[in-house]
Amino acid sequence: MSEIRYDGQVAIVTGAGGGLGRSHALELAKRGAKVVVNDLGGAVDGSGGSVSAAQAVVNEIEALGGEALAHGANVLEREQVEDMVAKTIEKWGRIDVLINNAGILRDKSFAKLEMSDWDLVTGVHLTGTANCTRAVWQIMRDQNYGRIVVTSSSSGMYGNFGQANYGAAKLGVVGLMNTLCLEGAKNNIHVNTLIPVAATRMTESLMPPEMLELLKPELVTPAVIYLASTEGPNRTVLSAGAGAYSRVVIQETEGVAFLEEDATAENIAANWGTIDDHSTLKELTAGNEHTMKCVQMASKIRS
Ligand code: NAI
């Protein structure tokens, strides 16, 4: 396998002043990319901010002989994101890679959740990802090249107590990916999703030291390097943590179709074995495939 390189490419990594984003930014730079290190520089809950976190990572990249630019844009603020993109184009003339990584937590059980924390957490993760993606989208279309990674979470895929806001936003970015893959295909724009688990300030109080020791952020970054590469996949959800990598897939069973007079809740219950038959699971790649499947099954039982 030849080395995956990013020579001549320009990458933006959001939330790269620490944790996973820092690791992604450093590795992209080591592999030849010019990197915009974005970070608001706030606390885990999103409060406060300073460009010094991003600048420290830029200093690290420069010390390794790489090229980087710090930007303190808050991904929620469209004007700031547009300014970051404009400064990137001004300096390097293109944007090949966007790693949407910035994120915060405001954990509370749903009963106790302040809806202002719902707005902020879904805002940073989902709208923030859309803001950054939208700001580079036309540039990537014009280039006929782009690689975008969105960062999801097991909380989005499977749920996690106290993370209704975070989990909803994290599955939201998968929905964003699904449509962007369809819309970006003709301009060679790939969009993929990362599901990381790593020891960072976001998780350090949640796990015992022996687990944190295994969960190095640097063991997640190879997944990003693969997902954002020229020869990398499209529309792929890749889980990565502690050196373990696996693909996450949304699938549906073949199911069963009834004639109108038999389409009842009782018949759904009576046929649950068939409806829930995992041996028939299949991945669909667009919403209209789902519509066509329903229509074809209905036609089949009528013919
Ligand atoms: P972290 O807290 O170390 O890094 C997040 C970075 O995003 C921080 O440097 C922060 O200043 C920045 N940020 C926050 N809000 C921002 C905003 N509005 N604009 C720009 N920058 C902002 O946490 P970590 O663990 O490195 O998280 C990175 C991503 O991975 C997040 O999206 C997180 O939700 C996700 N993730 C992490 C997991 C883990 O196990 N660490 C598990 C699942 C997902």
Side-chain angles (χ1 to χ4, degrees):
M1 194 71 208
S2 60
E3 188 190 2
I4 294 176
R5 296 287 309 173
Y6 283 85
D7 303 295
Q9 295 195 24
V10 177
I12 297 177
V13 186
T14 70
L20 286 165
R22 169 182 166 274
S23 171
H24 304 336
L26 281 168
E27 190 59 29
L28 283 162
K30 283 181 198 161
R31 289 170 184 262
K34 298 174 178 73
V35 182
V36 178
V37 178
N38 159 257
D39 208 291
L40 173 70
V44 177
D45 70 358
S47 57
S50 140
V51 78
S52 60
Q55 188 56 51
V57 176
V58 166
N59 296 346
E60 282 187 85
I61 291 173
E62 287 175 347
L64 293 168
E67 283 184 71
L69 175 71
H71 202 288
N74 179 342
V75 296
L76 256 181
E77 300 292 337
R78 293 194 180 107
E79 275 179 20
Q80 295 179 24
V81 169
E82 277 156 22
D83 180 70
M84 172 172 73
V85 167
K87 293 219 162 75
T88 309
I89 292 294
E90 205 175 289
K91 193 166 167 70
W92 290 314
R94 57 184 295 117
I95 298 169
D96 301 281
V97 173
L98 169 65
I99 311 296
N100 287 293
N101 165 81
I104 59 166
L105 288 181
R106 295 263 172 123
D107 291 1
K108 287 254 170 70
S109 65
F110 196 58
K112 294 187 184 141
L113 180 68
E114 297 285 344
M115 288 314 277
S116 55
D117 285 348
W118 171 276
D119 291 343
L120 188 64
V121 170
T122 58
V124 170
H125 290 278
L126 181 54
T127 308
T129 296
N131 285 343
C132 296
T133 304
R134 170 91 178 147
V136 303
W137 192 248
Q138 191 55 44
I139 294 165
M140 290 183 173
R141 277 164 54 93
D142 292 343
Q143 288 170 179
N144 274 314
Y145 187 84
R147 296 290 181 265
I148 296 168
V149 175
V150 303
T151 304
S152 182
S153 164
S154 57
S155 298
M157 286 292 161
Y158 312 119
N160 200 18
F161 197 97
Q163 294 196 322
N165 49 4
Y166 179 77
K170 286 306 203 186
L171 196 54
V173 297
V174 178
L176 177 65
M177 172 196 77
N178 286 336
T179 286
L180 293 184
C181 288
L182 300 173
E183 296 185 6
K186 73 173 191 296
N187 294 108
N188 190 16
I189 303 173
H190 289 190
V191 188
N192 293 294
T193 299
L194 173 74
I195 299 191
V197 57
T200 65
R201 66 178 193 170
M202 209 181 250
T203 53
E204 66 193 358
S205 60
L206 308 175
M207 288 180 267
E210 58 278 16
M211 273 170 77
L212 294 170
E213 179 60 30
L214 289 173
L215 291 164
K216 295 185 173 68
E218 292 73 22
L219 294 175
V220 170
T221 294
V224 169
I225 298 297
Y226 171 65
L227 290 177
S229 63
T230 301
E231 303 304 328
N234 197 7
R235 202 182 194 271
T236 294
V237 182
L238 185 57
S239 140
Y245 308 92
S246 49
R247 190 169 170 223
V248 178
V249 193
I250 297 174
Q251 297 180 318
E252 67 177 61
T253 61
E254 176 62 23
V256 63
F258 303 118
L259 292 173
E260 213 170 315
E261 58 272 25
D262 298 325
T264 61
E266 291 73 18
N267 268 338
I268 291 173
N271 287 274
W272 192 251
T274 311
I275 292 171
D276 192 36
D277 179 358
H278 289 209
S279 72
T280 65
L281 281 169
K282 203 174 152 205
E283 189 181 354
L284 305 185
T285 55
N288 64 346
E289 271 184 39
H290 170 260
T291 310
M292 289 316 293
K293 180 186 156 202
C294 294
V295 169
Q296 279 163 6
M297 286 173 73
S299 306
K300 204 169 154 194
I301 57 164
R302 279 163 178 79
S303 65

